[in-house]
Amino acid sequence: MRRLAGLLAVLPLVLLPACSSGSGGSAGASPSGTAPATAPAVPSPVASASPMPTVAGDFGTKATITLPGGQPSGQFVVNTVSEGDGPAVAKNDWVTVNYTAKDWTTGKDVSDSFASGQKPQLYQAGGGQLVPAFDQSVLGKKVGSRLLVVAPPAAAFGGQGNSSLGVGATDTVVFVLDVMEAVPQDGTIPGALTQPPATAPQIKDNGKAAPTITVPAGPPAPPTELQKYVLVKGDGKPVASGQQLVVQYTGVLWANSQQFDSSWSHGGAQALQVGTGQLIKGWDEGLVGQTVGSRVELVVPPALGYGDKAQSSVPANSTLVFVIDILAAV
């Protein structure tokens, strides 16, 4: 079993699998990188500089980036090629972007999310976890926008380059980012609830707060198999194994309706990978196939939860009840 000491402060409980020593979900391969611990100072972004690359192609498709003659200005440029009509991205929103990248210094294509086996990048905007070319560029931009980002070395890969992508420490990189979606940390699934049968835990919606989950009086004997109830049916695509989800969730114990975990206690919506063994089995089995935009209740028996080992405030052999809002999937 993974040790919980020191992890619960930074990872919600459901991210810890029942029996694993692995880490949490991964965003997958991309040119975005992580922000170095001691990154050099990044200049404030400007809307344009001379010279400037040009961009061709439609939003949502791989961009064609044409480099101008001459050397880059050294400025951090965030230029709106085309503006969307969605909400503006706020700090800590979970944002999904498609991207195309080209190394200005070498003239070589770097990477793109449209290639086979690649996915859009999902991250928290302005959270400081990714390099500024991704992290800062989307702040204040509307969903549906295409952005041209000219990233000097400090903004591209923190002045360290990226050897796996062939980007040197002094290279300027040009990115085209398509802002596909943004989910605020207090996002939740609206709509009237379809309550499960009276023998199952009942749910009270509390708006932008953790729902109240009440196990029937008694309580009756807990189920020995996974129970799934769709409280609000979303109209998005079915969740596939291996996808990253953005979710709100709350979990209580079947024995006494006592809450033991909630995303609302961790700052709001969380991102996690489903169907790959990084979560408890009840989540992997219960969420794959559900449609994005759904609110789902899962009743998870011990064998699909934490088994016969106690986990923090969850006693051994506990049946668990979750309400999960599937806000996005990448």
Side-chain angles (χ1 to χ4, degrees):
M1 295 294 296
R2 172 182 293 180
R3 293 181 302 159
L4 295 185
L7 291 179
L8 291 177
V10 294
L11 288 177
L13 187 57
V14 296
L15 290 181
L16 305 177
C19 292
S20 172
S21 59
S23 60
S26 170
S30 80
S32 55
T34 56
T38 56
V42 179
S44 298
V46 298
S48 186
S50 182
M52 281 285 287
T54 57
V55 178
D58 296 329
F59 176 90
T61 64
K62 181 179 178 179
T64 299
I65 302 170
T66 302
L67 300 174
Q71 297 299 310
S73 66
Q75 292 182 285
F76 181 21
V77 180
V78 181
N79 178 270
T80 301
V81 177
S82 60
E83 186 172 60
D85 57 6
V89 176
K91 184 176 181 180
N92 292 325
D93 281 359
W94 286 100
V95 63
T96 302
V97 301
N98 272 311
Y99 55 86
T100 308
K102 194 180 193 76
D103 188 326
W104 185 324
T105 305
T106 65
K108 296 180 179 179
D109 292 336
V110 173
S111 181
D112 68 86
S113 61
F114 303 98
S116 177
Q118 295 295 307
K119 294 182 179 181
Q121 182 76 35
L122 171 67
Y123 61 99
Q124 278 189 287
Q129 299 302 306
L130 296 186
V131 295
F134 279 66
D135 185 60
Q136 297 179 20
S137 295
V138 298
L139 291 173
K141 307 302 183 183
K142 293 182 178 180
V143 173
S145 296
R146 168 162 280 194
L147 309 177
L148 170 62
V149 179
V150 179
F157 291 102
Q160 298 181 3
N162 188 309
S163 59
S164 65
L165 296 173
V167 176
T170 60
D171 291 3
T172 293
V173 182
V174 181
F175 298 94
V176 174
L177 306 181
D178 289 349
V179 186
M180 309 300 292
E181 187 174 10
V183 176
Q185 281 195 292
D186 65 352
T188 188
I189 299 298
L193 299 182
T194 298
Q195 291 289 350
T199 54
Q202 301 297 290
I203 311 304
K204 178 180 179 293
D205 179 67
N206 291 319
K208 291 186 180 297
T212 302
I213 305 172
T214 304
V215 178
T224 57
E225 297 183 353
L226 178 68
Q227 303 295 306
K228 300 179 285 187
Y229 305 103
V230 178
L231 308 177
V232 178
K233 177 70 171 179
D235 57 6
K237 294 181 179 180
V239 171
S241 181
Q243 282 192 303
Q244 280 190 294
L245 307 185
V246 179
V247 300
Q248 296 280 17
Y249 70 90
T250 297
V252 306
L253 301 174
W254 174 280
N256 55 14
S257 301
Q258 180 67 42
Q259 184 183 124
F260 64 87
D261 196 13
S262 177
S263 58
W264 298 100
S265 301
H266 302 291
Q270 306 284 316
L272 47 85
Q273 190 176 58
V274 69
T276 60
Q278 307 222 13
L279 309 175
I280 59 174
K281 291 181 179 179
W283 275 52
D284 280 346
E285 295 183 14
L287 295 182
V288 172
Q290 303 289 352
T291 54
V292 175
S294 293
R295 172 172 283 192
V296 180
E297 176 183 327
L298 300 180
V299 182
V300 180
L304 299 180
Y306 298 103
D308 60 0
K309 303 294 185 181
Q311 297 284 337
S312 185
S313 57
V314 178
N317 297 310
S318 288
T319 296
L320 312 174
V321 184
F322 295 97
V323 171
I324 305 162
D325 288 359
I326 307 172
L327 301 172
V330 176

